[in-house]
Amino acid sequence: MTTLLGRASAWHRPMMWTAAVMAVMTAVSAGGLVVDDRILLGAPIWLKPLKFAVSIAVYCVTWAWMLTLLDRGRRLAARVSTALAAILLTEYTIIVTQVIRGRASHFNVATPFDKALFSIMGISIAALWTGTLVLTVLVLRTKIADPAARWAVRLGAVVSLAGLALAGLMLGPTPEQARSLHEGTLGGMIGAHSVGVPDGGPVMPVTGWSTTGGDLRIPHFVGMHALQALPLLALLLSALARRVPRLRPERVRARLVLVAAAGYAGLVALVTWQALRGRPLIHPDGPTLLALAGLAVAVAAGASWSLLDSRRPEVSVA
């Protein structure tokens, strides 16, 4: 553990400092949940800063580690990552500022100041996606010796980039907002998390996701965290290979990662489809369950094929 912390302290400094700030803000936000009983749009007002602090910290640590894997373009990656750290701190500062004011940070155009802050957030999100795209391209060009790790890092970055882009689905006006815009009676919000129901209804604990309608934060969340899930899977397979002979061939672990990545991308597509149809995550309808079953069968078949192929001579899948 001491060795790992020593290595981590040498990773990209602005990213790691941003992660450290977010760790502090996680504690601050948790304290806010205890002492501040204000509710905003159906959820405790400090829940959003808590979730964003955790998510930003994980994002920064993951990319700070992935930068150490690059074999070229390191200077460009360092500069882009510094800019990303500044962007994330700006976005988080706006979120906390609005919490202190007791106002919504996202979709809020009720006053010129609210609108200005949300506009800055919109520009920041676009810049964040562009910067992440640059880092993803650099990762795709990086040579990593272990095929499973190589595909996990590459596909994790690609699926995560798609997950970031899914946030754009929340920015357009809902049918009710579009009608209000046309009639000149807009209530001050453009965009929404929920589909089929207004934001602010019953929500799941901790996540704050809607329990009565679709919620576009779910595919955004699931997609983004492919960046951690797939590399962790590769790490787990590598550790299990010491005890499980079938996992020792590199091509078997690589194929399992490829199957998992395909399944993960399918899951992102599934929860996106579910949310866009206005279906809550915890109350899936028949078509959602049928698609989930098909996805599970396909992943199980792919994993079985990968394991059954373990006795063949080693062939590279790079």
Side-chain angles (χ1 to χ4, degrees):
M1 181 61 76
T2 303
T3 303
L4 177 62
L5 291 176
R7 290 178 183 173
S9 65
W11 294 350
H12 188 263
R13 294 292 173 80
M15 280 288 200
M16 293 304 289
W17 274 111
T18 302
V21 171
M22 290 302 115
V24 173
M25 289 310 301
T26 297
V28 171
S29 300
L33 287 174
V34 174
V35 302
D36 189 344
D37 60 359
R38 289 180 296 166
I39 300 294
L40 183 66
L41 293 175
I45 200 166
W46 281 96
L47 182 59
K48 179 175 284 188
L50 176 65
K51 292 192 297 183
F52 270 75
V54 173
S55 182
I56 291 172
V58 171
Y59 173 93
C60 288
V61 171
T62 305
W63 272 113
W65 165 68
M66 289 174 70
L67 295 183
T68 66
L69 305 177
L70 299 180
D71 54 10
R72 51 183 167 174
R74 286 192 169 193
R75 181 174 298 181
L76 172 61
R79 289 174 178 172
V80 169
S81 297
T82 300
L84 290 178
I87 288 167
L88 289 167
L89 287 171
T90 300
E91 183 177 0
Y92 192 79
T93 300
I94 291 174
I95 290 172
V96 174
T97 298
Q98 291 293 68
V99 164
I100 293 170
R101 296 179 67 228
R103 310 280 295 179
S105 52
H106 290 78
F107 319 125
N108 188 357
V109 294
T111 70
F113 186 65
D114 291 329
K115 187 176 182 179
L117 291 182
F118 185 50
S119 297
I120 293 171
M121 293 181 74
I123 295 169
S124 298
I125 292 169
L128 177 69
W129 190 88
T130 304
T132 305
L133 172 63
V134 173
L135 296 182
T136 299
V137 171
L138 292 172
V139 163
L140 291 176
R141 298 174 61 195
T142 294
K143 297 176 182 176
I144 300 174
D146 179 63
R150 179 166 63 247
W151 285 114
V153 168
R154 288 177 177 178
L155 295 176
V158 170
V159 177
S160 177
L161 190 66
L164 274 174
L166 288 173
L169 295 173
M170 302 182 233
L171 299 178
T174 65
E176 293 76 16
Q177 291 167 350
R179 188 163 48 250
S180 298
L181 272 171
H182 180 70
E183 297 171 350
T185 57
L186 182 68
M189 303 288 277
I190 296 182
H193 302 128
S194 305
V195 178
V197 295
D199 282 352
V203 297
M204 295 167 60
V206 182
T207 64
W209 297 336
S210 176
T211 59
T212 55
D215 198 316
L216 293 168
R217 290 172 293 185
I218 298 169
H220 179 53
F221 172 87
V222 175
M224 280 196 313
H225 291 293
L227 192 66
Q228 293 82 35
L230 294 179
L232 284 174
L233 173 64
L235 191 64
L236 176 63
L237 291 174
S238 179
L240 289 174
R242 299 170 190 166
R243 296 177 178 272
V244 182
R246 283 192 170 186
L247 294 177
R248 286 175 189 160
E250 288 185 342
R251 72 169 189 284
V252 172
R253 299 199 304 276
R255 287 173 180 175
L256 287 171
V257 166
L258 289 171
V259 169
Y264 200 100
L267 180 63
V268 174
L270 176 59
V271 293
T272 303
W273 179 57
Q274 183 185 19
L276 287 174
R277 290 185 299 115
R279 304 300 306 178
L281 180 71
I282 60 174
H283 299 299
D285 58 359
T288 302
L289 291 174
L290 187 62
L292 180 62
L295 181 62
V297 169
V299 170
S304 299
W305 168 75
S306 300
L307 291 171
L308 289 173
D309 195 44
S310 61
R311 294 182 178 177
R312 293 180 55 190
E314 187 80 7
V315 177
S316 172
V317 297

